[in-house]
Amino acid sequence: MMYYNRLKMMGVLAVCLIGALLCVPNFIKAPSSTMPWRQIHLGLDLRGGSYLLLRLDRESLAADRLQTLEDGVKQVLLAKGLGYHDFQIDRATKTLSFAARDATESASAREAVKTLPSAAPDEYAVSEKADRIVLTLNEAALTRRTRDAITQSIEIVRRRIDGTGAIDPEITREGDDRIVVELPGISDPERIKKLLGTTAKMSFRLLAPGVPGPVAPPGASILTDISSHEPLAVLDHVEVDGADLTNAAPQQDTQRGGWVVTFSFDRAGAQAFAATTRANVGRRFAIVLDNQVISAPVIETPITGGSGQIEGNFTAQSATDLAVMLRAGALPAPLAVIEQREIGPSLGADSIRAGAISLLVGLVLVIVFMALFYGRFGLYANIALVANLVLMVAILSLFEATLTLPGMAGMLLTLGMAVDANILINERIREEVGKGRTALAAMQTGFERATSTIVDSNATAFLAHVMLFVFGTGPVRGFALTITIGIVTTLFTTLMLSRLLMVRWYALTRPTELPV
Amino acid sequence: MLSRPLLRFVRDDKRIPFMRGRYIGLATSAILSLLSVGLFFFPGLKLGLDFRGGIVIEAQTQGPADFDRLRGALAEHHIAAAGIQKFGADNDVLIQLDAPSAGAAQEAATQNLVDTVRKVVADAQPGTKILRADAVGASVSRELFRDGLLALVSSLAMILIYIWVRFEREFAISAVVTLILDLTKTIGFLAITRFEFDLVMVAAILTILGYSTNDKVVVYDRVRENLRKYRSMPLRELLDLSINETLNRTLGTSSTVFLAALPLAIFGGHSLSGFATVMLFGIVVGTSSSIFIAAPLLLLLGEKRLRR
């Protein structure tokens, strides 16, 4: 307990030195871009910006899957020459049901739909109920689909946000069906919300011939035109899909003023579009986005070049946003914003100032207290305290962790708790001196006895805060993170560094009395 | 040279007979905790945005805020603001709205509402800056509440298990009973001060519990040591001795934690000062309960078992 060999001493000092070096990137700019330059990230509450929590609509994903299953079932039954009627999708129970042509075919129909080329083998269960064949979606398989859809959505969300020119957005998955979007510096997330809240499923479809009435003719649906609010009977058959687009860009309309969105198709899309327009000159076709008609022009000449433009009363921003969405692709399912937090940059700056002042004043108060109540050993405790702060910053920088305002509070409380170990050691040594032990023996027993208490008390705090980090959300996690790191650095600075200082002082001066 | 300590809380040979006041201590604590439980039901805690759901917007107008105009503008858009009030300076406005009533489109409605309110406020008083705008949907607030509770319960369980493993049963039981008494008082304090109960407050409560446990562990550690050392000393005397021996440490550590949290309560801004004030309260409660509650409970529970 009272002896440090040279190696151990160098080790302790080296850790402190490396810690100090790791803090440097937070204060000065990187001299070159190739150097590893890890620094603490400031949380949105300190930096200003927007936080959005998006949830993928699982119900609509399920409905999509049921629709796909229906198409698959029809194909399989047709191929086997089996008849069917009365398809029904129940979104609440996530089931698809249909009736076979007659009871004799029921068993073979049931057998035929057990495997579908368009579905995963365990995606649904087949059963029979009241002469109907029922396909029930499997929850676990749906969760898997949701997870896949989230992975896909994150990519699309990233492309859409990049398209707006936002600076270092952070897009992360949370749980099975959520995405967190953090946008530093953006103080009006409304545009982003709109951009992410649109599925952007685009299709080119023909209008039903004849005058649109209130009832849709078979094979068509009534959709509204966004700008003219005119109801249009649009055929359900998709001539060309938005997935076939290769590019889209906003462009100023030089002839009529305003903005348009130009687009180009890939080869397959271009061919399909050329064929459709060639066969339907004089008819109207609709450009449909998420079940709304953006525009419905008349086909004047066949469009064979594989590119075209959309006119729809756009402004510069709405044209840009539509182009961004078309380029980024459609989301597999709608995303809904369920939580929004927005902090203006000036409030963030105020918080940094408040946090920094508190940290500084708190540190000074603790240092003065320790110097007054514990003398020379208190001074050593204070050196360890400063090293503790340095090491906490170093570890946070090393992991490029995010520092939030509650995180700063955690650091401050760590400093308050850290000297507890020094106080325990000092009080113990003082007691041993009181019992008449020599200086050396008192320090020896003091360290030994106090160490077990220190480990005990820090272990409980450590466990409690790890739990807090694991189960906590948002601000709680930032707080728990700094405290947990703080407990580790505290154990090092008090059990290694401040003891080293005390032991070296003893070795150099060989006092007969201790300053306790 | 600066060497010996200049100040000390109590003299080393001081022996304060704490156990003499054990019934007064326990009774006072029990009464305070019962009152706190009452306060929890009436008037209850003021739930923060995290747990309540809804919208909070902080705006800064150019020049003094015209509240009548802002209220009028919101009313024009059929927005019933639960609260629109000044906070801090003359041009700081705080707008609070309840979440739109439940329903399938509830989440979307909440999100649209926050955008509308921003626009209305900016139009009513041009040049208004939005400092903060939070909107939490109902399903999220329910989840946050559940997660907060889960964090609280699991931390308490970890503490209980740890003390149970490290000490004997009597210690664990009296520690957890004391912690529950601390917890109820903190909740009573929250109910009286009307600080908003949100995720940050859950963190504050957990820190208080962690700190309080830490304090008890140190005293118990000494009790256990003395039990081995003085085999014939009556438990009551032994507890008094242990508390007195650790008194300087108890007061010292409470002071440093108190001093560290104090500037946060003063300078922390309104998001952290409530948190820090609750911490300060918790430090006082946690420290006194180590002496006046945890030790007497140990005496009651362990008089027969620990000292035969």
Side-chain angles (χ1 to χ4, degrees):
Chain A
M1 278 284 168
M2 286 297 289
Y3 177 74
Y4 273 78
N5 64 35
R6 193 169 289 270
L7 199 68
K8 199 166 164 189
M9 223 157 67
M10 300 295 261
V12 173
L13 294 178
V15 168
C16 295
L17 200 70
I18 291 169
L21 281 176
L22 283 172
C23 292
V24 171
N26 293 303
F27 303 105
I28 58 171
K29 273 207 161 75
S32 81
S33 54
T34 49
M35 260 177 95
W37 210 250
R38 289 169 168 270
Q39 41 183 288
I40 296 178
H41 288 279
L42 290 183
L44 289 182
D45 58 344
L46 298 178
R47 196 175 172 186
S50 298
Y51 166 102
L52 298 173
L53 180 63
L54 305 161
R55 184 174 54 203
L56 187 112
D57 188 351
R58 198 180 147 102
E59 303 302 310
S60 116
L61 197 69
D64 264 11
R65 287 310 298 163
L66 289 170
Q67 190 60 53
T68 312
L69 288 187
E70 180 179 330
D71 295 344
V73 167
K74 283 179 180 164
Q75 263 172 25
V76 166
L77 294 179
L78 276 176
K80 301 223 159 140
L82 296 164
Y84 55 80
H85 60 94
D86 194 21
F87 266 94
Q88 275 173 22
I89 286 178
D90 184 352
R91 294 177 75 143
T93 55
K94 300 194 179 75
T95 52
L96 166 75
S97 62
F98 66 96
R101 185 159 40 201
D102 52 58
T104 53
E105 279 183 14
S106 181
S108 30
R110 196 179 153 174
E111 198 52 42
V113 300
K114 274 214 171 121
T115 52
L116 295 174
S118 55
D122 59 344
E123 203 175 340
Y124 58 91
V126 184
S127 58
E128 214 167 333
K129 201 168 143 196
D131 293 335
R132 295 177 66 82
I133 297 167
V134 183
L135 278 69
T136 311
L137 276 187
N138 176 326
E139 281 296 327
L142 185 59
T143 302
R144 242 184 349 262
R145 287 255 175 217
T146 314
R147 251 185 252 143
D148 290 349
I150 281 286
T151 311
Q152 221 181 327
S153 302
I154 286 177
E155 215 20 70
I156 293 160
V157 164
R158 189 185 313 279
R159 282 196 296 241
R160 286 190 187 178
I161 290 176
D162 284 345
T164 65
I167 297 155
D168 26 281
E170 278 217 31
I171 299 147
T172 42
R173 153 198 295 267
E174 195 181 274
D176 284 338
D177 61 349
R178 292 173 187 199
I179 301 175
V180 171
V181 176
E182 289 180 294
L183 304 159
I186 290 199
S187 57
D188 178 9
E190 197 186 344
R191 178 178 173 203
I192 304 275
K193 270 160 80 177
K194 211 173 269 167
L195 202 60
L196 300 184
T198 314
T199 318
K201 278 204 171 108
M202 172 133 152
S203 57
F204 295 84
R205 284 140 75 168
L206 286 169
L207 257 59
V211 191
V215 184
S221 325
I222 300 287
L223 303 179
T224 335
D225 188 306
I226 289 186
S227 34
S228 69
H229 301 290
E230 176 192 4
L232 298 166
V234 182
L235 292 179
D236 290 337
H237 178 73
V238 173
E239 301 288 337
V240 191
D241 193 90
D244 293 334
L245 288 177
T246 53
N247 199 12
Q251 205 176 70
Q252 206 149 14
D253 188 344
T254 44
Q255 288 159 18
R256 273 164 296 182
W259 288 78
V260 296
V261 176
T262 62
F263 59 85
S264 39
F265 286 116
D266 60 9
R267 261 179 66 122
Q271 278 169 8
F273 198 58
T276 306
T277 49
R278 199 175 293 127
N280 294 290
V281 172
R283 281 181 72 178
R284 284 176 83 185
F285 78 102
I287 300 167
V288 181
L289 187 76
D290 294 338
N291 284 325
Q292 282 186 307
V293 177
I294 307 182
S295 83
V298 175
I299 305 170
E300 273 153 14
T301 50
I303 301 165
T304 51
S307 63
Q309 66 178 40
I310 308 170
E311 291 154 15
N313 281 338
F314 292 117
T315 62
Q317 198 182 78
S318 63
T320 309
D321 288 351
L322 179 61
V324 164
M325 287 191 283
L326 293 181
R327 276 202 308 269
L331 290 169
L335 292 174
V337 178
I338 51 173
E339 184 183 350
Q340 174 198 330
R341 308 221 178 218
E342 175 196 341
I343 292 111
S346 61
L347 194 65
D350 284 351
S351 294
I352 295 185
R353 204 174 317 117
I357 290 176
S358 305
L359 205 59
L360 200 71
V361 175
L363 187 67
V364 169
L365 287 177
V366 174
I367 284 177
V368 169
F369 177 91
M370 288 304 285
L372 286 178
F373 278 74
Y374 292 97
R376 169 174 289 275
F377 286 167
L379 203 67
Y380 293 157
N382 286 335
I383 294 172
L385 195 64
V386 174
N388 197 344
L389 184 61
V390 167
L391 287 180
M392 271 195 281
V393 173
I395 292 180
L396 287 171
S397 313
L398 193 64
F399 291 117
E400 301 193 306
T402 303
L403 185 67
T404 58
L405 192 56
M408 286 176 102
M411 282 173 117
L412 190 48
L413 287 171
T414 299
L415 295 184
M417 281 304 287
V419 290
D420 181 44
N422 295 100
I423 293 178
L424 279 166
I425 293 172
N426 280 349
E427 291 294 337
R428 254 310 170 169
I429 294 176
R430 192 180 160 93
E431 269 181 59
E432 299 304 323
V433 169
K435 284 179 194 155
R437 287 189 203 259
T438 62
L440 181 66
M443 282 178 77
Q444 178 90 23
T445 1
F447 285 139
E448 262 165 29
R449 293 269 169 82
T451 301
S452 87
T453 315
I454 292 169
V455 171
D456 257 353
S457 66
N458 279 291
T460 41
F462 186 81
L463 288 175
H465 285 100
V466 166
M467 284 294 126
L468 198 53
F469 185 76
V470 172
F471 293 109
T473 39
V476 176
R477 280 174 76 94
F479 176 75
L481 177 71
T482 46
I483 294 226
T484 312
I485 292 175
I487 290 169
V488 177
T489 55
T490 297
L491 285 177
F492 175 80
T493 52
T494 52
L495 293 185
M496 304 298 277
L497 180 63
S498 64
R499 206 179 83 204
L500 170 72
L501 292 171
M502 288 161 79
V503 167
R504 287 307 296 163
W505 168 80
Y506 179 85
L508 289 175
T509 57
R510 297 274 161 197
T512 48
E513 277 185 77
L514 292 176
V516 286
Chain B
M1 66 183 173
L2 172 73
S3 169
R4 274 178 199 286
L6 294 170
L7 297 173
R8 217 157 155 72
F9 283 108
V10 285
R11 284 193 9 233
D12 290 338
D13 53 359
K14 189 102 178 155
R15 288 287 172 264
I16 306 169
F18 288 109
M19 283 302 129
R20 208 179 274 168
R22 64 188 184 278
Y23 293 116
I24 299 173
L26 282 174
T28 314
S29 174
I31 290 169
L32 285 177
S33 284
L34 277 175
L35 278 176
S36 297
V37 171
L39 286 168
F40 175 73
F41 290 107
F42 186 82
L45 296 179
K46 185 178 169 196
L47 290 187
L49 183 71
D50 293 341
F51 299 150
R52 186 189 66 217
I55 292 171
V56 171
I57 292 178
E58 269 176 49
Q60 199 169 47
T61 52
Q62 249 179 4
D66 184 346
F67 285 94
D68 290 333
R69 198 146 119 207
L70 290 172
R71 245 179 235 119
L74 285 173
E76 248 170 58
H77 286 78
H78 309 289
I79 296 167
I84 169 162
Q85 64 194 73
K86 190 180 100 165
F87 84 106
D90 268 350
N91 58 344
D92 285 333
V93 185
L94 183 72
I95 302 171
Q96 284 181 302
L97 295 160
D98 288 335
S101 48
Q106 196 269 349
E107 309 278 4
T110 310
Q111 296 304 325
N112 289 334
L113 191 59
V114 70
D115 293 332
T116 316
V117 175
R118 290 179 61 111
K119 268 201 214 90
V120 170
V121 171
D123 290 346
Q125 241 181 316
T128 301
K129 266 196 305 190
I130 301 289
L131 297 182
R132 190 163 79 97
D134 293 350
V136 178
S139 65
V140 175
S141 61
R142 271 196 302 274
E143 275 169 36
L144 289 176
F145 192 74
R146 194 196 57 207
D147 290 351
L149 215 61
L150 195 63
L152 198 69
V153 171
S154 53
S155 297
L156 262 178
M158 287 310 281
I159 292 170
L160 176 68
I161 292 168
Y162 187 84
I163 300 185
W164 203 297
V165 170
R166 290 286 296 173
F167 296 89
E168 281 166 78
R169 198 181 61 199
E170 284 71 22
F171 289 91
I173 294 171
S174 43
V176 169
V177 170
T178 314
L179 286 184
I180 291 169
L181 289 169
D182 287 357
L183 179 68
T184 46
K185 289 187 194 71
T186 311
I187 286 171
F189 183 72
L190 275 174
I192 290 179
T193 53
R194 309 308 292 154
F195 285 127
E196 290 203 344
F197 183 66
D198 55 13
L199 278 174
V200 178
M201 278 305 172
V202 172
I205 290 175
L206 277 171
T207 309
I208 291 170
L209 293 184
Y211 167 76
S212 182
T213 312
N214 177 51
D215 216 41
K216 269 129 208 106
V217 165
V218 172
V219 176
Y220 284 174
D221 218 40
R222 183 57 66 103
V223 172
R224 187 171 53 179
E225 191 186 318
N226 284 341
L227 277 172
R228 287 188 204 122
K229 207 152 99 190
Y230 308 103
R231 297 218 163 253
S232 58
M233 190 187 283
L235 187 59
R236 183 179 156 175
E237 238 173 86
L238 190 132
L239 287 173
D240 262 338
L241 176 72
S242 308
I243 294 173
N244 275 292
E245 279 177 349
T246 50
L247 195 57
N248 271 304
R249 177 268 160 190
T250 304
L251 294 175
T253 300
S254 320
S255 307
T256 56
V257 182
F258 195 90
L259 288 174
L262 190 64
L264 216 50
I266 302 171
F267 308 113
H270 72 281
S271 56
L272 278 189
S273 64
F275 166 84
T277 311
V278 173
M279 290 281 315
L280 292 178
F281 174 82
I283 293 163
V284 175
V285 168
T287 307
S288 48
S289 72
S290 301
I291 298 170
F292 296 107
I293 312 299
L297 275 177
L298 194 58
L299 181 60
L300 288 178
L301 288 173
E303 191 132 40
K304 300 226 170 58
R305 253 204 82 212
L306 295 175
R307 187 92 297 173
R308 271 156 298 219

